[in-house]
Amino acid sequence: NEKILSSPFVLISTQKTTPQGFQTNEYADAQLQEIVRKMRERATVYKEKLKDPVLSSPEGSPTASEVKPEEDHYCDMLCCKFKKTPLKKYMTYLQLPDSIDSYTDRRYVAWLMLVTVAYNWNCWFIPLRFVFPYQTSSNTIYWVAIDIICDICYLCDLLVFQPRVQFLKGGDIISDKVEMKKFYHSSMKFRLDVISVLPFEVLSIFFGFNPAFRANRMLKHNTFFEFNDRLEAILDKAYIYRVIRTTGYLLFILHINACLYYWASDYEGLGSTRWVYDGQGNMYLRCYYWAVRTLITIGGLPEPQTLFEIVFQLLNFFLGVFVFSSLIGQMRDVIGAATAGQNYYRSCMDNTVSYMNTYSIPKVVQNRVRTWYEYTWDSQGMLDESELLEQMPTKMQLAIAIDVNFAIVNKVDLFKGCDTQMIYDMLLRLKSIVYLPGDFVCKKGEIGREMYIIKQGEVQVLGGPDGTKVLVTLRAGAVFGEISLLAAGGGNRRTANVVAHGFANLFILDKKTLNEILVHYPDSEKLLMKKAKVLLKEKGKPAPGPPVQQPRGLAGLFGQKQETPKLFKAMLGGKGKAGLAKLLQLKRERDIQKPEQEEKKPKPEEKKLPEPAASSAPPAQKEEPNADTKPKPPAVMHRGTTNESLIISMSPSPTAGEGEILKVEAKEKKRK
């Protein structure tokens, strides 16, 4: 790369000025400059990888392929432009696949809904047309037209859709065309579907048109129940559809009972007795009203007169008690399943309140507990999300955790570049906790053992002299406390108070859990330790260093090495002969002071040159003269040459911990 960058061709292409009489192409020049810029960036990246291979991934980042933007299609109508999807997209979406997954394909569910509508048409109107005189010669063509449409739906389902539905065989999903067709043709569903499309209407040529010849259309009940199962699987609130379906069952049974009552009245003779239908008003509504009062056993109906009427009424009562009780029980189960979670929440809350009342917990605490229960239920619809996920296999839990939490964890700088599988393991260990307004998430001085990720709400970081000043407000997606997970040597204490501003929902990852995960990912552990040091430097905190080790062997007798004495620093600080001249001047001053000291205190020990104090002593003590000496005149520095030699020696103090002793001795050179 460096050779390419230093080539004459590149250097000429990057020059902005050109000689006179020479023309350049601006586009080519810009392209060459762009190539040079990219080469330099690539060379920089490779240099960084060579310097620190841990922080840099050995694999290059995938580049997004350039996708040609699609053209927008507009339709002019009434002086306005409307954006429309091209016809090719519609055809691609509507194209029937070779195999259909009945559990995930929404188009298959839509088709089942169309077949279910045709099935309900036959179930509701075949008995109605057979009993009530609503089908006449003048409107027969309309009834027949709708019947033909329903039959076409039946045939398409039999010939096109059902042979393409995938099935399971030994745990494997079979999507082969031949195998799917064989499986469907060998099932009971295929036989019922074939019977349901047999054209028994041809008998109308001999016996006249009768809706009873279409009774076989009601045998396609498997499609109806399959549609119910598939629809419940994709609805957010399936219990609402269950209630509607159960109510439809009840209405259909009342509809059949109304048809039977009109048939019985016609058999006995309309208006022949008080019990039968008298033929007045709307025939269907009158019969339906009678069916409702009979099946629900409301009473207040005319007493049956003949044996046929008595038997019919008794069967109606028995059937009504059985059907009505079954439907009420089914409705209770549906509503109970829909409110099971709320009942569990109420039960937990009541038990907690009873416990607090038993032990006379203060009302302030009880009110906070109630608030926590109510907010947790309103915000997430359950008290503990982990209870719901524990029933699923680990792969399913991971899939849900990735969709819910991966985007949040991926924003944490500490975990960028780590092993993806390690982050997945972390997602399964995150715990969701709700904090009330004013709750302390963490306090200053506490040992940090957790990292917090804000899922919902806000928290405030407090500081200042009194600890009440709001330093910063963290919102959803922010992370704090991540350094405490990897800190060591006492560097994991909290430096500020963090308080929930309102209701805050936080994810927590504790240090123990992270250590258990990092055992299996040593490379990620090294990367995290390096990134922790970098983040500490960015935040202005000292990185936790390794513990101080005591010196071993004879070095331990002299203690820890102290700061270099000032006298030695003065010598090193001088340039050329100036440093030596300064030391000689100090030597002369001390020689002048010796006779005076010998007169007052003639002791042989004081003839020695006073030793400078250790560097650990304050500077004032080094320069302060003895009490019995006169104040010395200010030292005057003289520059020049001398015939004296200077000997400087440094030796450790015999007492441990007192530093080192610097000795300076000047001797006159011997003349030859």
Side-chain angles (χ1 to χ4, degrees):
N1 295 330
E2 295 179 356
K3 291 181 179 180
I4 296 176
L5 293 177
S6 60
S7 62
F9 177 77
V10 175
L11 291 175
I12 293 173
S13 63
T14 56
Q15 292 179 355
K16 294 183 178 180
T17 60
T18 57
Q20 296 180 358
F22 183 78
Q23 296 181 357
T24 60
N25 191 331
E26 295 182 358
Y27 175 77
D29 188 65
Q31 293 296 322
L32 290 174
Q33 292 181 6
E34 182 68 17
I35 293 173
V36 171
R37 184 185 63 81
K38 290 182 178 180
M39 287 184 176
R40 287 174 179 171
E41 291 179 355
R42 188 175 66 175
T44 304
V45 171
Y46 279 103
K47 288 179 181 178
E48 292 178 355
K49 290 181 179 181
L50 292 175
K51 290 179 181 178
D52 195 350
V54 179
L55 290 177
S56 303
S57 175
E59 299 179 0
S61 302
T63 57
S65 58
E66 297 183 1
V67 181
K68 188 177 181 180
E70 298 181 359
E71 299 180 358
D72 295 333
H73 297 265
Y74 293 93
C75 177
D76 296 333
M77 184 179 296
L78 298 177
C79 300
C80 298
K81 284 188 176 182
F82 298 94
K83 190 175 181 179
K84 67 174 184 178
T85 307
L87 183 61
K88 186 181 294 184
K89 273 194 172 183
Y90 278 120
M91 298 302 295
T92 303
Y93 180 76
L94 295 177
Q95 186 178 3
L96 194 63
D98 295 335
S99 62
I100 300 174
D101 186 1
S102 60
Y103 294 96
T104 59
D105 198 338
R106 299 294 182 91
R107 294 174 294 180
Y108 180 68
V109 178
W111 170 254
L112 290 180
M113 183 181 66
L114 186 61
V115 178
T116 301
V117 171
Y119 173 76
N120 278 276
W121 168 268
N122 292 321
C123 289
W124 284 76
F125 286 96
I126 288 176
L128 179 70
R129 293 156 59 187
F130 177 73
V131 175
F132 289 93
Y134 283 123
Q135 181 175 342
T136 60
S137 57
S138 59
N139 58 11
T140 301
I141 185 174
Y142 303 108
W143 294 100
V144 172
I146 300 177
D147 291 342
I148 292 174
I149 295 175
C150 295
D151 293 344
I152 292 174
C153 292
Y154 278 29
L155 287 172
C156 291
D157 186 64
L158 173 67
L159 301 176
V160 179
F161 284 89
Q162 294 303 325
R164 298 172 183 262
V165 177
Q166 301 173 1
F167 67 96
L168 295 177
K169 184 178 181 181
D172 297 331
I173 300 177
I174 307 301
S175 59
D176 183 69
K177 292 183 179 181
V178 178
E179 294 293 333
M180 290 187 297
K181 189 177 295 185
K182 286 183 179 180
F183 177 79
Y184 174 61
H185 290 170
S186 62
S187 63
M188 178 59 68
K189 183 180 181 181
F190 171 74
R191 300 169 189 172
L192 293 177
D193 290 348
V194 170
I195 296 174
S196 64
V197 296
L198 292 178
F200 290 106
E201 290 89 340
V202 295
L203 298 176
S204 300
I205 301 174
F206 307 99
F207 303 100
F209 185 80
N210 193 336
F213 295 148
R214 293 182 55 83
N216 59 322
R217 302 297 190 273
M218 292 188 292
L219 294 176
K220 201 173 178 60
H221 57 275
N222 290 325
T223 303
F224 172 75
F225 291 113
E226 184 183 4
F227 168 72
N228 291 330
D229 295 338
R230 300 295 178 265
L231 186 62
E232 289 180 6
I234 63 176
L235 289 178
D236 295 333
K237 297 181 178 179
Y239 65 89
I240 297 178
Y241 177 73
R242 295 191 189 106
V243 172
I244 296 174
R245 184 184 61 193
T246 304
T247 305
Y249 290 159
L250 176 60
L251 296 177
F252 179 72
I253 292 173
L254 293 174
H255 170 75
I256 296 299
N257 196 27
C259 294
L260 291 175
Y261 175 66
Y262 185 85
W263 172 81
S265 299
D266 189 33
Y267 177 78
E268 287 284 314
L270 298 179
S272 59
T273 62
R274 295 180 56 190
W275 182 84
V276 299
Y277 169 60
D278 57 2
Q280 301 295 326
N282 190 306
M283 62 183 75
Y284 180 75
L285 290 179
R286 292 293 185 90
C287 294
Y288 201 89
Y289 175 76
W290 182 91
V292 170
R293 300 192 65 174
T294 303
L295 285 181
I296 303 179
T297 63
I298 295 176
L301 296 173
E303 296 293 332
Q305 303 296 328
T306 63
L307 179 62
F308 175 81
E309 294 174 357
I310 294 174
V311 172
F312 186 89
Q313 189 70 23
L314 288 175
L315 293 176
N316 237 324
F317 283 146
F318 290 141
L319 183 65
V321 170
F322 175 74
V323 171
F324 196 69
S325 60
S326 301
L327 292 177
I328 289 178
Q330 186 176 1
M331 191 73 71
R332 181 202 61 187
D333 295 339
V334 170
I335 297 175
T339 58
Q342 188 172 5
N343 293 336
Y344 173 74
Y345 149 71
R346 289 294 178 187
S347 176
C348 292
M349 186 173 179
D350 294 342
N351 294 335
T352 305
V353 172
S354 177
Y355 172 82
M356 292 188 296
N357 291 331
T358 302
Y359 289 92
S360 302
I361 304 298
K363 292 295 182 182
V364 177
V365 179
Q366 292 191 22
N367 292 336
R368 292 183 66 83
V369 171
R370 289 192 182 94
T371 304
W372 181 87
Y373 269 104
E374 292 175 358
Y375 175 79
T376 304
W377 174 257
D378 293 339
S379 61
Q380 59 190 22
M382 60 187 69
L383 297 179
D384 190 3
E385 297 177 352
S386 60
E387 294 182 358
L388 180 64
L389 299 178
E390 284 177 356
Q391 302 174 2
M392 301 180 182
T394 306
K395 293 297 182 182
M396 296 296 179
Q397 296 181 23
L398 178 61
I400 295 176
I402 290 174
D403 292 337
V404 176
N405 306 328
F406 184 75
I408 299 176
V409 177
N410 198 33
K411 296 179 181 178
V412 182
D413 294 336
L414 188 64
F415 301 120
K416 287 184 178 179
C418 292
D419 195 310
T420 306
Q421 190 60 41
M422 189 210 76
I423 298 179
Y424 289 167
D425 292 345
M426 284 176 43
L427 294 177
L428 295 175
R429 308 290 186 91
L430 291 178
K431 298 179 182 178
S432 177
I433 296 181
V434 175
Y435 289 89
L436 300 182
D439 282 353
F440 279 89
V441 180
C442 58
K443 293 186 177 180
K444 185 177 181 180
E446 289 182 345
I447 302 298
R449 300 184 181 90
E450 301 91 5
M451 179 192 74
Y452 301 92
I453 304 174
I454 303 177
K455 179 182 179 183
Q456 187 178 5
E458 298 179 355
V459 297
Q460 293 179 341
V461 181
L462 304 181
D466 54 352
T468 58
K469 182 181 178 181
V470 179
L471 301 179
V472 65
T473 301
L474 304 178
R475 294 177 174 81
V479 180
F480 59 95
E482 66 270 20
I483 305 301
S484 299
L485 295 180
L486 300 172
N492 57 342
R493 289 187 178 272
R494 305 296 188 187
T495 58
N497 295 328
V498 181
V499 182
H501 179 58
F503 290 96
N505 192 347
L506 307 180
F507 286 123
I508 293 181
L509 178 66
D510 55 29
K511 191 171 186 177
K512 180 181 178 182
T513 302
L514 182 63
N515 291 335
E516 292 176 356
I517 295 174
L518 291 180
V519 171
H520 308 285
Y521 304 97
D523 294 338
S524 297
E525 184 178 7
K526 294 178 183 178
L527 178 61
L528 288 178
M529 296 301 295
K530 283 195 173 185
K531 287 199 170 186
K533 294 179 181 179
V534 173
L535 291 177
L536 279 173
K537 291 180 181 179
E538 291 178 355
K539 293 184 179 181
K541 299 179 182 179
V548 179
Q549 297 181 356
Q550 296 294 336
R552 299 178 181 179
L554 297 176
L557 298 174
F558 306 107
Q560 188 176 1
K561 185 177 180 180
Q562 301 295 331
E563 186 180 359
T564 305
K566 290 187 175 181
L567 189 61
F568 190 59
K569 287 184 178 180
M571 188 274 296
L572 295 177
K575 296 181 180 179
K577 299 180 180 179
L580 297 175
K582 186 175 181 181
L583 290 175
L584 292 175
Q585 181 66 26
L586 292 175
K587 174 66 176 175
R588 293 193 190 98
E589 292 175 1
R590 293 187 183 277
D591 292 340
I592 295 172
Q593 293 176 3
K594 279 184 180 180
E596 298 177 357
Q597 294 178 0
E598 289 176 355
E599 292 176 0
K600 295 182 179 181
K601 294 182 180 181
K603 296 181 180 180
E605 292 80 9
E606 294 180 357
K607 294 181 181 180
K608 297 180 180 180
L609 185 66
E611 299 175 357
S615 62
S616 59
Q621 295 179 1
K622 297 180 182 179
E623 300 175 2
E624 184 179 359
N626 296 331
D628 54 353
T629 60
K630 297 179 181 180
K632 60 183 178 180
V636 180
M637 299 295 294
H638 296 278
R639 296 180 179 271
T641 60
T642 179
N643 57 352
E644 296 180 353
S645 61
L646 185 66
I647 300 175
I648 302 174
S649 63
M650 182 179 292
S651 61
S653 176
T655 305
E658 291 187 358
E660 299 174 346
I661 299 175
L662 178 67
K663 294 182 180 181
V664 181
E665 184 177 358
K667 293 183 180 181
E668 186 177 357
K669 295 182 180 179
K670 295 181 180 181
R671 298 180 179 178
K672 296 181 180 179

